[in-house]
Amino acid sequence: MSTSELTHDAFLGGRLKLWQPKQGYRAGVDPVLLAATISAKAGESVLDLGCGAGAAALCLGTRIEGLDLHGLEIQPFYADLALKNASENRIALTVHRGNVNEMPASLKERRFNHVLTNPPYFDRGTGSKAPDEGRETALGGASLPLWLEAAARRLAPKGYLTLICRTERVPELLTALPDYLGSIELWPILPRTEQASQLVLLRARHSGKAAFRLHAGLVMHEGTRHMRDAESYAPNVSAVLRNAAALPFPKI
């Protein structure tokens, strides 16, 4: 694919620029929010499972230097884009090619302090096929239980799995989490106050023992409805999107 079929998009207030296809799966706000919740430290290892063009991993690498960043991507085109984006943004990222069910040996041998993922948003058995392969893979992919098991198996003891997913899949999500993951936290994302959650952030810890936590919702936009043709992100969300701020899970 030539550069004429790509866009060069600014993230984090221009601190990160990513090549993405004009048509097909394109990263938006979701991977940026996901990356902002990761409380990694320099020297720790991180795996982005299904990394696409590298949005989540590279947002995290922009905010925190010195991470051992890895990504797994099944589609060669997106894997190549992730490497190109990492190189141009001067962020070290190792991209492994394969799927969650058949990971390369180099990845199976590793365990990570953090695994982050944007798993299949929809059950493809209940929806129509997307018009392009990239979008279809992003939307459907492997089954959610298989995806979660693959992610959990890459965790080091006491490591964290963090993901973003559609709210409608929460019952399946909680049922499918391997039983050796505990300290589960669920953080609903609300478009505005008085509106229902459409997405959730979930964090779980390998061998965690803490009680389940359901946090108050993260409200994306100010006001109860869209009032004018201008950006209306809540201040904490705007700080993430424009200034590469962290978005830590709430403390109780």
Side-chain angles (χ1 to χ4, degrees):
M1 183 175 289
S2 67
T3 55
S4 64
E5 298 173 283
L6 302 172
T7 60
H8 202 206
D9 305 311
F11 289 76
L12 306 177
R15 293 169 176 80
L16 176 69
K17 292 186 177 179
L18 301 178
W19 291 101
Q20 300 191 93
K22 289 181 179 178
Q23 303 294 325
Y25 175 73
R26 293 172 53 80
V29 172
D30 298 1
V32 184
L33 292 178
L34 175 62
T37 69
I38 307 301
S39 56
K41 300 176 182 178
E44 290 188 332
S45 58
V46 181
L47 171 63
D48 182 357
L49 197 63
C51 67
L58 296 177
C59 281
L60 180 58
T62 299
R63 179 168 63 88
I64 304 172
E65 296 182 353
L67 295 174
D68 180 19
L69 284 174
H70 294 252
L72 175 69
E73 176 54 45
I74 188 174
Q75 299 178 85
F77 166 68
Y78 283 97
D80 289 343
L81 271 186
L83 289 171
K84 176 180 177 68
N85 287 328
S87 176
E88 293 191 3
N89 286 281
R90 297 183 180 180
I91 299 173
L93 173 66
T94 300
V95 179
H96 307 263
R97 303 180 189 223
N99 63 36
V100 295
N101 300 325
E102 298 179 7
M103 293 187 185
S106 60
L107 195 54
K108 284 185 177 181
E109 296 170 355
R110 292 291 308 268
R111 296 294 183 272
F112 296 86
N113 301 113
H114 297 270
V115 174
L116 61 146
T117 186
N118 189 339
Y121 266 9
F122 300 101
D123 180 353
R124 302 316 287 153
T126 62
S128 58
K129 185 178 177 64
D132 67 87
E133 181 181 355
R135 187 68 173 164
E136 173 65 19
T137 301
L139 292 175
S143 71
L144 189 56
L146 288 174
W147 196 280
L148 294 174
E149 179 66 31
R153 287 184 178 276
R154 300 279 67 77
L155 284 174
K158 300 299 182 180
Y160 286 96
L161 167 64
T162 310
L163 61 87
I164 188 168
C165 197
R166 288 188 63 83
T167 304
E168 66 199 49
R169 303 206 77 180
V170 166
E172 181 185 2
L173 184 65
L174 294 176
T175 301
L177 280 175
D179 59 10
Y180 54 88
L181 296 185
S183 303
I184 299 167
E185 300 178 64
L186 198 63
W187 195 6
I189 300 174
L190 284 62
R192 297 179 184 275
T193 57
E194 302 181 13
Q195 291 186 0
S197 170
Q198 297 177 0
L199 294 170
V200 296
L201 289 155
L202 180 142
R203 182 169 69 178
R205 194 173 193 185
H206 191 295
S207 307
K209 302 297 183 183
F212 174 79
R213 295 178 181 178
L214 176 59
H215 296 292
L218 169 66
V219 180
M220 292 289 293
H221 296 273
E222 296 183 308
T224 57
R225 59 191 179 93
H226 186 70
M227 299 292 292
R228 56 194 175 91
D229 189 19
E231 186 175 286
S232 61
Y233 286 117
N236 58 337
V237 174
S238 181
V240 169
L241 301 179
R242 306 297 174 231
N243 298 318
L247 187 69
F249 270 69
K251 294 182 178 179
I252 297 178

